[in-house]
Amino acid sequence: MSINLCSIIDLPKIQDPRGNLTFIEGGNHIPFDIQRVYYLYDVPGGSERGGHAHKDLHQLIIAMSGSFDVLLDDGKEKRRVHLNRSYNGLYICPMIWRELDNFSSASVCMVLASNKYDEVDYYRDYAEFMRAKWQI
Ligand code: TYD
C-alpha cells in the first residue's frame, strides 16, 4: 500500500447562513463502512500522537476544530498533510505509518475507522512495520 492511495476527501458541505453542515456516509463518501469513531481533544501544545501503522484498518481523519499535521510513511515515501478544514478528511489505507503533530490549541481530531479497536491490528514498532512491509 503506497501513500499515493491516501488522499484528501472533499466531504459534502451544505452552506447555510445559520451554520454549515457536513455529512459522511460509510461506503458512499468514504471507501469503507464505519465501525468506530474516536477523537483526540485537549491535546497539549507540542504533543505527538500516532506513531504506528494498522494491518487492516481503514481510517478517515478530520480536523473538526483547529489544525494539525499528519505525517504519512509507506516505508518508501513520506508526505506531510496539514488538516484544518472540517469538510476535508484524510483517508489512510492499511499499512501506512502515521504520526500526528503540530496541534493548534483547542484542536479536535476525529477519526472514523473501519473496525472496532483491536491492539493486534497495530504495528507500534517501526522496524517491525518495515519488516512486514517488505516481507524481510
Ligand atoms: P492509540 O491508538 O495509540 O492513540 P494515538 O494513535 O491517537 O496516539 O491509543 C491510545 C490508547 O487508547 C491505547 O491504550 C489504546 C486505547 N484505545 C482504545 O481503547 N480504543 C480506541 O478506539 C483507540 C483508538 C485507542
Side-chain angles (χ1 to χ4, degrees):
M1 296 277 194
S2 141
I3 50 170
N4 296 327
L5 296 171
C6 302
S7 58
I8 295 282
I9 295 179
D10 220 2
L11 298 164
K13 181 180 181 188
I14 311 290
Q15 262 178 309
D16 191 309
R18 298 170 302 162
N20 299 331
L21 183 152
T22 284
F23 57 96
I24 306 164
E25 293 172 358
N28 186 5
H29 303 108
I30 56 174
F32 59 87
D33 283 327
I34 302 159
Q35 290 285 331
R36 176 167 52 114
V37 177
Y38 67 92
Y39 36 96
L40 301 169
Y41 52 98
D42 293 344
V43 180
S47 257
E48 291 177 9
R49 301 291 312 222
H52 55 73
H54 288 282
K55 295 173 187 171
D56 291 315
L57 196 70
H58 298 254
Q59 291 182 309
L60 187 85
I61 302 188
I62 303 172
M64 295 303 281
S65 182
S67 65
F68 51 84
D69 290 352
V70 184
L71 179 71
L72 300 171
D73 177 353
D74 61 13
K76 213 175 192 179
E77 278 184 274
K78 291 182 191 196
R79 180 153 55 103
R80 183 171 279 276
V81 180
H82 183 64
L83 292 178
N84 63 352
R85 299 276 181 247
S86 36
Y87 55 85
N88 279 166
L90 173 63
Y91 166 69
I92 307 185
C93 62
M95 293 303 283
I96 302 290
W97 189 268
R98 90 287 312 274
E99 286 163 18
L100 285 77
D101 62 13
N102 201 20
F103 286 90
S104 71
S105 64
S107 55
V108 178
C109 166
M110 184 174 79
V111 183
L112 310 183
S114 64
N115 258 311
K116 299 210 166 64
Y117 171 74
D118 181 5
E119 188 58 37
V120 171
D121 184 65
Y122 280 74
Y123 286 111
R124 291 195 182 272
D125 180 65
Y126 189 76
E128 193 195 337
F129 162 69
M130 289 295 272
R131 280 195 296 275
K133 195 84 194 173
W134 306 114
Q135 317 278 322
I136 47 176

